[in-house]
């Protein structure tokens, strides 16, 4: 219960700040990480610290890779690593998968909200008309405009955590 309460407090704080400011500050993630290791040490000694470290790696590794690719921010990496340390190995894996799924749904709704449906219909029509001339020429019509939109992953992490806590029978 203490780990769940700490995880909810950290994730909720991070989600609110990420939604409002667009980043998750170190002043949130580092204390959460430290508290996770302290809780693990108090509850399980050296074995607890080992599970906290394994959770940190399990939850943080995919986000380190995403950060290196430019797909997420450093605060997202540190938040997920902190949640992994708080929760331990197996719950960290569940929360990470749930958060990724929630993040995907948020991204889909975000994209759908920005779609210019008339432009999409025109481009699909042009693609269909140009297809007999060759796929490469037809596909050139569908090239995306370069814009930079991000998912506020702190929100997805908090929702993924809540999903795992309140609907454990329906987690990934």
């Amino acid at each position: 219960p203490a780990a769940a309460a700490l995880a909810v407090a950290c994730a909720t704080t991070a989600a609110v700040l990420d939604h409002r400011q667009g980043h998750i500050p170190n002043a949130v993630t580092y204390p959460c990480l430290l508290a996770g290791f302290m809780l693990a040490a108090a509850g399980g000694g050296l074995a607890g610290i080992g599970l906290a470290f394994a959770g940190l790696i399990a939850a943080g590794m995919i986000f380190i890779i995403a950060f290196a690719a430019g797909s997420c921010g450093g605060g997202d990496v540190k938040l997920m690593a902190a949640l992994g340390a708080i929760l331990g190995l197996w719950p960290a894996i569940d929360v990470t998968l749930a958060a990724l799924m929630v993040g995907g749904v948020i991204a889909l709704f975000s994209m759908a909200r920005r779609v210019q449906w008339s432009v999409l219909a025109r481009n699909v029509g042009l693609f269909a008309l140009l297809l007999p001339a060759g796929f490469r020429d037809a596909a050139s019509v569908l090239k995306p405009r370069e814009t930079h939109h991000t998912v506020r992953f702190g929100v997805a992490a908090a929702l993924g955590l809540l999903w795992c806590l309140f609907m454990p029978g329906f987690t990934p």
Side-chain angles (χ1 to χ4, degrees):
L6 177 60
V8 168
C10 292
T12 304
T13 302
V16 168
L17 291 171
D18 197 17
H19 178 69
R20 288 184 180 168
Q21 301 173 0
H23 72 282
I24 303 168
N26 292 340
V28 171
T29 56
Y30 289 151
C32 291
L33 183 64
L34 180 61
F37 276 107
M38 290 171 56
L39 190 62
L46 200 53
I49 293 172
L51 283 174
F53 184 72
L56 178 148
I57 296 298
M61 188 54 67
I62 192 165
F63 289 91
I64 290 173
I65 294 167
F67 177 74
S71 299
C72 73
D76 301 326
V77 176
K78 290 177 276 189
L79 173 63
M80 291 307 296
L83 291 176
I86 293 166
L87 298 169
L89 178 60
W90 300 112
I93 292 171
D94 284 342
V95 168
T96 300
L97 292 174
L100 288 169
M101 291 172 69
V102 169
V105 170
I106 291 171
L108 285 173
F109 278 102
S110 177
M111 286 186 293
R113 195 180 76 217
R114 289 190 317 270
V115 167
Q116 296 174 351
W117 294 102
S118 61
V119 173
L120 177 65
R122 183 195 65 181
N123 286 348
V124 169
L126 285 172
F127 175 80
L129 289 173
L130 292 172
L131 198 53
F135 184 78
R136 189 173 305 210
D137 292 334
S140 68
V141 171
L142 299 177
K143 285 189 180 179
R145 297 176 310 224
E146 291 298 321
T147 58
H148 186 69
H149 297 282
T150 60
V151 171
R152 302 286 188 234
F153 200 79
V155 175
L159 292 174
L161 173 66
L162 293 174
W163 174 8
C164 290
L165 289 175
F166 293 110
M167 296 188 293
F170 297 100
T171 58

